[in-house]
Amino acid sequence: MISFNRAGKVKDTCLIYGNFDGVHKGHLKLVKEFKLKVKDKGLTPVIFSKAGEGEYLTSEREKEYLFRKFLKEAIFISTEKNEDIEAIIEKLGVRLFIIGEDDVNLCHIKEVLNSKKTEIVICKNEISGGEIITSERIKKALY
């Protein structure tokens, strides 16, 4: 696991972006989307775990461990604070950005990516029992 502020500059990546608390089926859908989109593009997968608020279900190390089961070759980057999207794109050489449709920063991220001409894939929410699978839903069921 690499902290964003310690990460070196990278080229030609596919960034899988999110909070990823309680790594669940919705998060794994982002990994599946990556595998579909970059089979032959030669992009390096980067999982970018952004800072969240409140109590966490999983630590950054646990998130990395769980994601490595599905995407062994990924670079796992975490951050303690919300980083500027433009800085992320520049530093990590993002060519393809994969994000869930319920990310709170989606509108801003789309604007930035459009201005940078960076391809974006927005994954639809995963549904179970008629409800969207979210970390908040998992927390509610546990507590």
Side-chain angles (χ1 to χ4, degrees), residues 70-86:
F70 302 98
L71 202 56
K72 290 178 175 66
E73 69 275 19
I75 299 169
F76 191 89
I77 295 179
S78 66
T79 181
E80 294 294 318
K81 60 182 181 126
N82 287 320
E83 298 290 347
D84 177 63
I85 294 299
E86 290 186 46

Side-chain angles (χ1 to χ4, degrees), residues 22-58:
V23 181
H24 54 67
K25 283 185 176 183
H27 299 137
L28 298 180
K29 190 173 188 177
L30 298 175
V31 172
K32 287 179 188 173
E33 193 65 36
F34 164 80
K35 288 182 174 183
L36 286 173
K37 292 287 182 186
V38 300
K39 274 191 247 183
D40 54 355
K41 290 186 181 182
L43 300 178
T44 301
V46 174
I47 297 170
F48 190 93
S49 179
K50 66 179 179 164
E53 296 180 13
E55 196 169 316
Y56 294 102
L57 293 169
T58 47

